[in-house]
């Protein structure tokens, strides 16, 4: 009785409502004299029993009596007995662990399975040298409290075991139902959770966000089955699984892809120590796209995409929807001539032909490597990069406060003037602003054939790209998927997700273009036909030219009809009344502006002449296949080889798993909050799990192998790349005087605290001594005033006392 009262007092003093030992009610008082009292909590977690000596024991409460162990209970195997006790602990609010065992002739004859809080932790006095110097001790906690709850499994025969000892009571509180999802037994990431985390990783979603999404998907944190720490640990395990086998595994993955699809191309190179230094690949879709749209290629490098600082170099073009399309991909450890030449050589081997034009920045290594690999390709420099240097080379004042740039751009950016007109205009501008002696301008003039549009007017499709903005856009697109800490295997997984997104967007545009036609506005017969032939983005460009042909053209003269061809002289109002010569026929059109040659689209001058010539059917030879809706149906594209049966089976399995998951969610939605329906779903799932048996369980290691690919069984021959040092890889780089000036201008200037000057600080202020002297005088005066005030106050006090 005394123990009973003491326990009631302890429960009413200094405890919180979350303590399951105190949020309880007595359900029965034992008056039999055995000295024990039984208690039950509000959520039916456990019974508390007190021994005659006053010790309190917690008896687990199991709703299902069939899940509770009993003496002499038989199991078909040792693992079955261990799993049964673990499940019992999970249902009752504690976790288990394997403990001591006895063996005889390599057979386990006795096995202890105990509560995870059994035993005591030994005090570890070892402190690392680093922490010893700092006087820091790591703060740790221990849950072990000497709990004696356990079962002992004894070997019987034929691999069967029986329960010889079952200690039910625990000397600690059991976990409440509200917190059981934090138990270690309930925190193992399931197959579904690992798949979800892996799929999230491929689209650059981190562990914390994946956990939050999973919580919303399953309806609450308690239903996830794991914690955010488990999600982070799984991300860590993925990196550890790859480890030093990173390069070997990515090459093995490429070999499997090559076996699955014959048109997949890859190549790699190693240094003398066997470390990966160069990697190039192009799949069948990329090679097909190059066959269709590979007339103009933009090439640039992007950084911070992997942990080795290898630069990622995509070959980018323009597809039929005027969108970026990627032809090939390279990872390089250096930005020098041999590495760029190696990438260009394998790009040529994969694609089978030179690009017509390749656009890069002013990288000296690219400038020398391109002619070696692509002798028939025209190398064009990015105009934007050159134009950005004008203020730095000539000065901000002359570029921004005068008409220099306005006059210069008329000749630099124009694609309708001839080369001699550019040369004449360039020299006139230099003479006007007295820049004939500027060395940099003459260097740019010497390479004018590499970047001025006037020198590309006679080359097919050379007007398609004038800057590397396509590469810049592509680099920005890929940066949304990659992280600087990625391994090569992770990089490739994210890369595949990025390409899936890019190609899905193309498929969407194809479907939209085939399902609806844009509205016509000019009333020309060939406009409706153009809407059926061209893709929608290209048609809008063609439509703008048709509209301009009716409003901005003035026909000056019309020549006679010679061999079915008529010559027109027309003035373009938008180009300051510049006159163009157009020759047209029933199936022919040629303009002196050469827009069709440079971009593959008819100009407004040609449309004006065709309309006047009464051409009602758009000539097919004036519609390039690369801009048409049916561009992929061209007979010259690469044939796609079928994928292997194994790869197709894997895709079918993944699709089936996704369907099963959403069917389960649909069933839970139908169940809603109806307890009868929820119990039916629970019963059905338990029966299904029992029917599947234990063989369907996939271990974590096996699952990692399925996700990341098998680890190399033999000795590693392709080692991971060394950490590279490239100009854009986040390492210390040279900062120009212009960039220093810009950064300095953005900073708030320091001010002297004494005189508020921005030239010096308070430490070096010329008036520092004078200011200090003034402060000393002020301080002395203040002290004198204080003394005088105290004296007057003392006099007043004395007079008061005298009175």
């Amino acid at each position: 009785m005394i123990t009973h009262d003491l326990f009631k007092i302890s429960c009413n003093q200094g405890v919180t409502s979350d303590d399951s030992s105190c949020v309880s009610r007595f359900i029965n008082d034992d008056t039999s004299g055995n000295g024990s009292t039984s208690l039950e909590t509000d959520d039916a977690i456990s019974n508390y029993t007190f021994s005659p000596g006053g010790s309190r024991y917690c008896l687990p409460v199991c709703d299902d009596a069939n899940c509770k162990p009993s003496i002499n209970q038989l199991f078909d195997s040792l693992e079955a007995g261990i799993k049964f006790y673990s499940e019992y602990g999970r249902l009752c609010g504690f976790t288990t662990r394997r403990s001591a065992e006895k063996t005889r002739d390599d057979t386990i004859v006795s096995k202890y399975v105990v509560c995870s809080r059994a035993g005591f932790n030994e005090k570890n006095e070892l402190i690392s040298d680093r922490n010893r110097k700092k006087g820091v001790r790591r703060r740790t906690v221990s849950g072990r409290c000497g709990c004696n709850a356990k079962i002992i499994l004894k070997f019987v025969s034929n691999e069967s075991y029986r329960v010889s000892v079952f200690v039910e009571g625990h000397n600690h509180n059991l976990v409440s139902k509200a917190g059981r999802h934090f138990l270690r037994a309930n925190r193992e990431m399931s197959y579904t959770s690992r798949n979800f985390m892996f799929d999230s990783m491929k689209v650059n979603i981190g562990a914390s966000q994946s956990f939050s999404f999973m919580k919303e998907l399953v309806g609450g944190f308690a239903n996830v089955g794991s914690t955010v720490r488990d999600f982070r640990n799984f991300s860590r395990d993925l990196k550890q699984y790859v480890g030093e086998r990173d390069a070997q595994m990515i090459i093995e993955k490429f070999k499997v892809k090559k076996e699955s699809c014959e048109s997949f191309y890859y190549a790699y190179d190693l240094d003398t120590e066997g470390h990966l230094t160069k990697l190039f690949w192009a799949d069948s879709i990329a090679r097909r796209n190059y066959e269709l749209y590979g007339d103009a290629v933009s090439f640039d490098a992007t950084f911070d995409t992997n942990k080795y600082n290898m630069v990622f170099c995509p070959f980018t073009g323009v597809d039929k929807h005027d969108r970026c399309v990627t032809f090939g991909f390279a990872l390089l450890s250096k930005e020098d001539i041999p590495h760029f030449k190696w990438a260009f050589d394998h790009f040529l081997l994969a694609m089978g032909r030179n690009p017509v034009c390749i656009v890069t920045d002013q990288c000296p290594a690219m400038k020398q490597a391109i002619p070696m690999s692509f002798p028939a390709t025209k190398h064009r420099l990015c105009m934007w990069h050159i134009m950005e240097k004008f203020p730095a080379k000539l000065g901000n004042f002359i570029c921004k406060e005068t008409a220099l740039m306005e006059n210069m751009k008329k000749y630099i950016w124009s694609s309708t003037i001839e080369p001699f007109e550019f040369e004449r205009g360039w020299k006139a501008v230099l003479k006007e602003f007295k820049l004939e002696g500027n060395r940099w301008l003459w260097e740019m003039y010497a390479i004018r054939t590499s970047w001025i549009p006037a020198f590309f007017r006679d080359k097919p499709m050379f007007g398609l790209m004038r800057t590397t903005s396509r590469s810049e856009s592509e680099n920005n697109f890929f940066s949304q998927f990659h992280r600087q800490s990625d391994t090569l295997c992770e990089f490739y997984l994210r890369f595949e997700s990025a390409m899936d997104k890019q190609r899905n967007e193309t498929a969407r545009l194809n479907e939209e273009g085939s399902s609806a036609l844009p509205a016509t506005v000019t009333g020309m017969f060939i406009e409706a036909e153009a809407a059926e032939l061209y893709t929608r983005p290209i048609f809008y460009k063609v439509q703008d030219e048709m509209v301009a042909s009716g409003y901005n053209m003035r026909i000056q003269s019309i020549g006679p009809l010679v061999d079915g061809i008529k010559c027109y002289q027309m003035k373009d109002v938008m180009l300051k009344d510049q006159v163009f010569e157009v020759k047209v026929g029933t199936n022919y059109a040629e303009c002196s502006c050469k827009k069709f040659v440079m971009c593959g689209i008819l100009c407004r001058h040609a449309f004006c002449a065709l309309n006047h010539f009464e051409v009602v059917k758009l000539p097919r030879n004036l519609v390039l296949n690369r801009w048409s809706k049916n561009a992929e149906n061209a007979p010259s594209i690469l044939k796609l080889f079928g994928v292997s049966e194994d790869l197709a089976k894997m895709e079918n399995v993944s699709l089936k798993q996704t369907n099963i998951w959403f069917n389960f969610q649909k069933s839970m939605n139908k169940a809603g909050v109806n307890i009868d329906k929820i119990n039916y779903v629970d019963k059905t799932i338990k029966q299904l799990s029992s029917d599947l048996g234990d063989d369907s369980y996939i271990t974590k290691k096996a699952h990692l192998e399925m996700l990341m690919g098998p680890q190399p069984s033999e000795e590693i021959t392709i080692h991971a790349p060394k950490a590279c040092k490239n100009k854009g890889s986040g390492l210390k780089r040279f900062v120009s005087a212009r960039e220093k000036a810009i950064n300095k201008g953005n900073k708030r200037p320091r001010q002297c605290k004494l005189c508020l000057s921005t030239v010096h600080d308070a430490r070096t202020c010329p008036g520092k001594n004078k200011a200090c002297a003034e402060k000393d005088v002020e301080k002395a005066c203040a002290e004198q005033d204080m003394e005088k005030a105290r004296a007057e106050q003392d006099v007043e006090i004395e007079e008061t006392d005298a009175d």
Side-chain angles (χ1 to χ4, degrees):
M1 187 66 181
I2 294 176
T3 305
H4 184 120
D5 295 336
L6 289 175
F7 180 68
K8 291 174 63 178
I9 293 172
S10 67
C11 284
N12 291 325
Q13 293 181 349
V15 295
T16 63
S17 60
D18 292 335
D19 191 345
S20 61
S21 65
C22 299
V23 184
S24 59
R25 55 188 174 86
F26 291 91
I27 59 171
N28 126 35
D29 291 331
D30 189 358
T31 58
S32 61
N34 59 3
S36 65
T37 303
S38 179
L39 304 143
E40 184 180 2
T41 61
D42 287 340
D43 56 356
I45 296 175
S46 56
N47 290 327
Y48 297 107
T49 302
F50 293 88
S51 67
S55 298
R56 189 184 68 174
Y57 291 94
C58 227
L59 296 180
V61 174
C62 186
D63 296 333
D64 190 354
N66 295 326
C67 294
K68 182 177 180 179
S70 59
I71 301 296
N72 294 325
Q73 184 177 359
L74 289 176
F75 298 98
D76 295 335
S77 64
L78 178 62
E79 290 298 326
I82 295 174
K83 186 176 180 181
F84 184 87
Y85 189 58
S86 299
E87 182 66 14
Y88 166 71
R90 188 185 70 81
L91 295 175
C92 295
F94 68 94
T95 56
T96 64
R97 60 182 170 87
R98 306 184 187 207
S99 187
E101 63 183 34
K102 295 180 181 179
T103 60
R104 185 184 303 121
D105 299 332
D106 297 332
T107 301
I108 299 176
V109 297
S110 177
K111 181 66 178 180
Y112 285 66
V113 186
V114 300
C115 174
S116 61
R117 302 186 67 176
F120 298 92
N121 273 352
E122 297 181 0
K123 292 185 178 180
N124 189 1
E125 300 296 338
L126 297 178
I127 306 175
S128 65
D129 295 337
R130 183 178 179 183
N131 290 337
R132 184 181 289 109
K133 293 178 181 178
K134 296 182 178 180
V136 177
R137 175 183 287 274
R138 183 181 178 187
R139 293 180 176 180
T140 59
V141 295
S142 174
R144 298 197 177 188
C145 58
C147 181
N148 198 38
K150 62 179 179 289
I151 64 169
I152 301 177
L153 298 171
K154 293 284 187 179
F155 177 74
V156 180
S157 62
N158 297 329
E159 299 183 355
S160 60
Y161 287 79
R162 67 177 180 85
V163 179
S164 62
V165 176
F166 174 39
V167 179
E168 186 177 2
H170 297 256
N171 67 346
H172 56 85
N173 295 331
L174 302 181
V175 178
S176 64
K177 288 184 178 180
R180 286 188 185 174
H181 61 280
F182 295 112
L183 283 173
R184 185 177 297 275
N186 289 330
R187 286 196 297 108
E188 182 179 3
M189 286 190 70
S190 64
Y191 178 85
T192 303
S193 298
R194 291 196 291 262
N195 269 346
F196 182 82
M197 172 65 194
F198 183 75
D199 293 337
S200 300
M201 181 199 72
K202 291 192 291 186
V203 291
N204 203 15
I205 297 177
S208 299
Q209 284 186 321
S210 299
F211 178 77
S212 300
F213 291 156
M214 190 71 177
K215 171 256 179 183
E216 298 297 335
L217 189 63
V218 299
F221 289 111
N223 300 334
V224 176
S226 52
T227 64
V228 65
R229 174 59 60 185
D230 298 323
F231 273 65
R232 291 172 183 165
N233 289 344
F234 180 70
S235 178
R236 175 207 62 196
D237 294 339
L238 285 173
K239 293 183 181 293
Q240 290 181 346
Y241 177 81
V242 174
E244 296 297 327
R245 299 170 289 270
D246 193 10
Q248 185 83 38
M249 290 179 64
I250 193 71
I251 298 302
E252 293 294 334
K253 182 172 291 188
F254 282 173
K255 289 180 180 178
V256 173
K257 283 186 168 292
K258 181 66 175 178
E259 296 174 357
S260 303
C261 183
E262 296 180 11
S263 57
F264 181 83
Y265 181 91
Y266 76 97
Y268 65 94
D269 192 24
L270 310 176
D271 61 11
T272 54
E273 299 176 0
H275 294 277
L276 184 68
T277 58
K278 310 178 190 74
L279 182 62
F280 175 86
W281 71 96
D283 59 12
S284 58
I285 299 178
R287 297 174 72 184
R288 182 204 64 181
N289 288 337
Y290 180 79
E291 187 69 23
L292 290 168
Y293 315 115
D295 34 30
V297 176
S298 178
F299 181 79
D300 193 17
T302 185
F303 311 92
D304 295 338
T305 59
N306 55 86
K307 62 184 289 188
Y308 311 104
N309 290 330
M310 297 182 76
V311 294
F312 177 52
C313 307
F315 294 81
T316 309
V318 181
D319 68 359
K320 64 181 182 179
H321 298 287
D322 200 26
R323 298 291 187 96
C324 292
V325 61
T326 316
F327 304 134
F329 321 91
L331 282 170
L332 305 175
S333 59
K334 292 182 180 180
E335 294 179 277
D336 57 9
I337 298 174
H339 283 70
F340 283 133
K341 184 180 182 305
W342 182 91
F344 295 151
D345 289 342
H346 283 284
F347 180 79
L348 183 59
L349 289 174
M351 305 306 169
R353 63 178 177 87
N354 289 298
V356 178
C357 175
I358 185 168
V359 183
T360 70
D361 57 15
Q362 287 180 280
C363 176
M366 294 182 190
K367 183 178 180 180
Q368 297 188 49
I370 288 174
M372 298 179 186
S373 301
F374 306 134
T377 299
K378 179 67 174 179
H379 182 199
R380 182 168 187 172
L381 299 178
C382 174
M383 296 182 63
W384 181 85
H385 282 88
I386 296 177
M387 296 299 294
E388 279 289 295
K389 296 179 181 179
F390 269 76
K393 299 296 183 179
L394 305 180
N396 283 326
F397 177 79
I398 194 172
C399 291
K400 295 182 179 180
E401 302 297 331
T402 67
L404 171 68
M405 295 305 297
E406 183 180 353
N407 295 342
M408 191 71 79
K409 287 179 180 178
K410 291 191 300 183
Y411 302 102
I412 290 178
W413 288 99
S414 177
S415 57
T416 60
I417 62 175
E418 296 293 337
F420 72 89
E421 296 179 77
F422 163 77
E423 293 172 353
R424 184 176 58 194
W426 174 281
K427 293 176 182 178
V429 173
L430 264 59
K431 183 177 180 179
E432 178 183 355
F433 291 92
K434 299 180 181 180
L435 295 173
E436 298 95 330
N438 188 282
R439 181 179 177 181
W440 182 79
L441 287 176
W442 284 109
E443 288 177 355
M444 294 300 100
Y445 181 76
I447 60 171
R448 60 191 181 279
T449 58
S450 299
W451 64 286
I452 298 298
F455 293 90
F456 295 91
R457 300 182 70 243
D458 297 328
K459 310 296 182 182
M461 304 306 296
F462 275 28
L464 197 59
M465 287 189 289
R466 299 192 289 185
T467 68
T468 57
S469 58
R470 294 286 180 176
S471 291
E472 299 290 346
S473 175
E474 196 79 339
N475 293 344
N476 179 66
F477 170 72
F478 283 116
S479 67
Q480 301 173 18
F481 290 83
H482 299 148
R483 295 186 179 184
Q484 190 176 5
S485 60
D486 286 348
T487 62
L488 293 181
C489 291
E490 289 176 313
F491 168 86
Y492 186 73
L493 289 171
R494 300 182 197 272
F495 160 81
E496 286 188 315
S497 296
M499 294 309 300
D500 288 343
K501 182 177 180 180
Q502 185 184 86
R503 290 165 181 174
N504 179 72
E505 184 68 12
T506 302
R508 181 185 68 83
L509 293 174
N510 290 340
E511 179 61 27
E512 290 181 355
S514 61
S515 59
L517 292 177
T520 58
V521 295
T522 64
M524 299 172 63
F525 291 105
I526 58 177
E527 184 185 8
E529 191 174 5
E532 296 180 357
L533 295 175
Y534 288 110
T535 59
R536 190 175 300 178
I538 303 303
F539 169 74
Y540 289 142
K541 291 186 176 183
V542 173
Q543 190 179 59
D544 291 340
E545 297 294 327
M546 292 182 179
V547 172
S549 68
Y551 291 98
N552 302 327
M553 298 297 107
R554 303 291 183 267
I555 298 178
Q556 297 287 89
S557 63
I558 303 174
L561 184 65
V562 179
D563 297 331
I565 303 296
K566 186 176 291 189
C567 183
Y568 290 82
Q569 296 287 336
M570 61 180 59
K571 184 185 298 184
D572 193 333
V573 177
M574 299 302 294
L575 294 177
K576 295 184 179 180
D577 294 335
Q578 187 174 351
V579 178
F580 295 92
E581 182 180 272
V582 186
K583 297 178 181 179
V584 298
T586 306
N587 296 310
Y588 177 80
E590 181 182 356
C591 180
S592 59
C593 76
K594 300 182 180 179
K595 182 176 179 127
F596 182 77
V597 177
M598 291 188 294
C599 301
I601 299 174
L602 281 177
C603 61
R604 60 194 66 185
H605 321 116
F607 280 119
C608 180
L610 288 171
N611 188 41
H612 188 273
F613 197 71
E614 298 181 353
V615 175
V616 296
K617 187 174 179 64
L618 187 63
R620 290 298 184 269
N621 60 334
L622 299 180
V623 179
L624 294 188
N625 180 69
R626 74 172 336 275
W627 300 128
S628 66
K629 295 180 180 179
N630 300 321
E632 290 85 356
N633 298 331
S636 59
I637 66 173
L638 296 172
K639 295 182 179 179
L640 298 181
F641 297 90
V643 297
S644 65
E645 294 182 0
D646 293 338
L647 189 60
K649 289 180 180 178
M650 291 177 61
E651 293 178 352
N652 291 334
V653 168
S654 177
L655 180 62
K656 201 67 177 178
Q657 290 173 344
T658 303
N659 292 336
I660 291 174
W661 173 256
F662 283 104
N663 286 336
F664 172 74
Q665 291 295 315
K666 187 176 179 180
S667 300
M668 290 301 298
N669 290 336
K670 290 182 177 180
V673 295
N674 189 316
I675 189 63
D676 295 331
K677 293 182 179 180
I678 293 176
N679 289 335
Y680 174 73
V681 173
D682 183 33
K683 180 180 179 182
T684 304
I685 291 176
K686 286 182 178 179
Q687 182 61 41
L688 180 62
S689 177
S690 176
D691 295 341
L692 292 174
D694 297 334
D695 294 337
S696 61
Y697 178 75
I698 300 177
T699 62
K700 187 176 183 179
K701 184 177 180 180
H703 197 189
L704 288 174
E705 183 174 346
M706 291 174 57
L707 297 176
M708 301 297 294
Q711 293 178 335
S713 57
E714 302 177 353
E715 183 181 357
I716 299 176
T717 58
I718 304 175
H719 298 282
K722 297 179 181 179
C724 307
K725 295 182 180 180
N726 291 301
K727 61 184 180 183
S729 57
L731 303 175
K732 188 174 181 180
R733 63 183 180 86
F734 176 77
V735 181
S736 65
R738 178 173 178 262
E739 188 174 353
K740 289 180 181 178
I742 293 175
N743 294 335
K744 186 177 180 180
N746 294 332
K747 290 183 179 179
R748 182 181 178 183
R750 293 183 61 182
Q751 287 184 333
C752 176
K753 296 180 179 179
L754 300 177
C755 63
L756 302 180
S757 174
T758 59
V759 179
H760 56 261
D761 55 16
R763 182 177 57 85
T764 59
C765 181
K768 179 179 180 181
N769 295 332
K770 181 179 179 180
C772 292
E774 292 177 354
K775 286 185 177 180
D776 292 340
V777 172
E778 292 177 359
K779 184 177 180 181
C781 294
E783 290 178 354
Q784 291 178 1
D785 294 340
M786 290 290 294
E787 290 295 336
K788 186 177 180 180
R790 290 195 190 97
E792 293 176 354
Q793 187 177 5
D794 291 341
V795 171
E796 292 177 358
I797 293 173
E798 291 177 358
E799 292 178 352
T800 303
D801 293 340
D803 294 341

